[in-house]
Amino acid sequence: MAELLKGAPVAVRLTEEAASRSAALSARGVVPTLCLIRVGERADDLSCERGLLKRAASAGVDVRKVVLDATCSQGELMAAVASANADPAVHGILMFRTLPASLEEAAACEAIAPEKDVDCLTSASLAGVFAGSGEGYAPCTAGAVMHLLDAAGVPLEGARVTVVGRSLVVGRPVAMMLQAANATVTMCHSKTRDLARACREAGVLVVACGRARMVGADCVRPGQVVIDVGINWDEGAGRLVGDVDFDVVEPIAGAVTPVPGGVGSLTTAVLMTHVVQAAERAAARAEGE
């Protein structure tokens, strides 16, 4: 039976650390502040917003909501981003996606100031992750993977890691972050020949392909650490499932993340950590002027 790598304990620790750093900033007259931009009233956005607000309160982060009508113009959206960029009291900007089809999502994302891009929505932030420069912020989900591995004490230096999935949200950035930790990374996807073998050869397997239960027993081996990033709704089962077939993988692997309760439960805590870090950097710049 595999060890369950749950996100909640890690999220609590990160939130407590963020709260301590927020308190130190408040003593200097700086309140870490996130500007949340939401277009419309999508049920999933509202659910995410409720969780985010709760986490922010625990982390000592103030959240300013900018809510636009679903029929808003591109100009109105760009104006909201520009206003948040120009406000020195705002340290991070998060824009809920997917936007309505009438809006140019890429243009709105690119308009966010890189120093306030706390969820890697801009190409500048992504370039920083790929270059390993320490500038910008990684996507929160990719960051959650790294925090989980660190909390579990998984040694990455010299380790063989297979990443299944090549999206710019998780697969590619987490591969770069793993390489920065001196792991040897193999990137795979749905078209990879003999995917099962590539998965089995790794000591650590990160799955972020967006396909329910794509990774089964033939893809894992005893002792392996399996990180499941997928969140899929299974109509037949009436519940959320991951990209890993948990029921058949859990008896084989050494450690595995549950879905829900694994990577996904950690992302808002990572976001708050990024906002606090952005506030610290802004305060340092202001003091140096």
Side-chain angles (χ1 to χ4, degrees):
M1 183 176 292
E3 175 189 358
L4 292 187
L5 303 180
K6 296 184 178 180
V10 186
V12 168
R13 176 177 59 79
L14 288 179
T15 303
E16 290 174 347
E17 291 174 356
S20 177
R21 293 162 65 184
S22 292
L25 283 166
S26 294
R28 295 158 59 189
V30 177
V31 178
T33 300
L34 172 70
C35 178
L36 173 63
I37 299 175
R38 171 165 56 82
V39 178
E41 304 286 333
R42 286 167 46 115
D44 53 346
D45 286 348
L46 293 174
S47 176
C48 183
E49 183 178 299
R50 287 191 293 270
L52 187 153
L53 292 174
K54 184 177 180 180
R55 181 74 66 186
S58 298
V61 172
D62 186 36
V63 179
R64 299 183 183 181
K65 295 197 298 181
V66 177
V67 181
L68 302 174
D69 192 84
T71 59
C72 74
S73 68
Q74 184 74 22
E76 290 173 313
L77 176 59
M78 300 300 279
V81 174
S83 177
N85 282 341
D87 189 344
V90 169
H91 306 106
I93 300 172
L94 178 68
M95 182 169 60
F96 280 160
R97 301 172 296 164
T98 302
L99 296 177
S102 59
L103 299 173
E104 296 181 30
E105 184 174 296
C109 289
E110 286 298 330
I112 297 174
E115 67 273 14
K116 298 186 179 186
D117 180 18
V118 287
D119 195 23
C120 203
L121 298 181
T122 66
S123 57
S125 294
L126 198 60
V129 174
F130 276 49
S133 65
E135 298 296 323
Y137 304 90
C140 292
T141 303
V145 171
M146 299 302 293
H147 279 290
L148 266 176
L149 289 169
D150 179 66
V154 178
L156 292 176
E157 185 166 350
R160 293 182 65 85
V161 182
T162 292
V163 177
V164 183
R166 50 184 170 179
S167 75
L168 291 176
V169 177
V170 185
R172 297 188 205 184
V174 83
M176 294 299 105
M177 296 167 77
L178 287 162
Q179 287 187 42
N182 296 317
T184 299
V185 181
T186 299
M187 286 197 68
C188 298
H189 44 80
S190 61
K191 305 299 182 184
T192 298
R193 294 178 182 175
D194 200 353
L195 176 63
R197 179 180 178 182
C199 291
R200 288 194 307 271
E201 289 177 343
V204 178
L205 176 61
V206 179
V207 187
C209 55
R211 296 190 180 187
R213 300 190 179 96
M214 178 177 171
V215 169
D218 61 332
C219 295
V220 297
R221 60 178 172 81
Q224 196 172 41
V225 177
V226 181
I227 306 294
D228 188 355
V229 185
I231 300 179
N232 312 279
W233 180 254
D234 186 319
E235 289 287 352
R239 62 185 176 91
L240 291 174
V241 299
D243 293 347
V244 173
D245 191 340
F246 183 87
D247 292 340
V248 300
V249 166
E250 188 269 341
I252 302 171
V256 62
T257 56
V259 176
V263 175
S265 61
L266 187 53
T267 54
T268 56
V270 174
L271 176 65
M272 296 309 144
T273 298
H274 289 175
V275 175
V276 172
Q277 185 176 1
E280 290 170 338
R281 290 177 176 179
R285 288 194 300 269
E287 293 170 356
E289 292 177 353

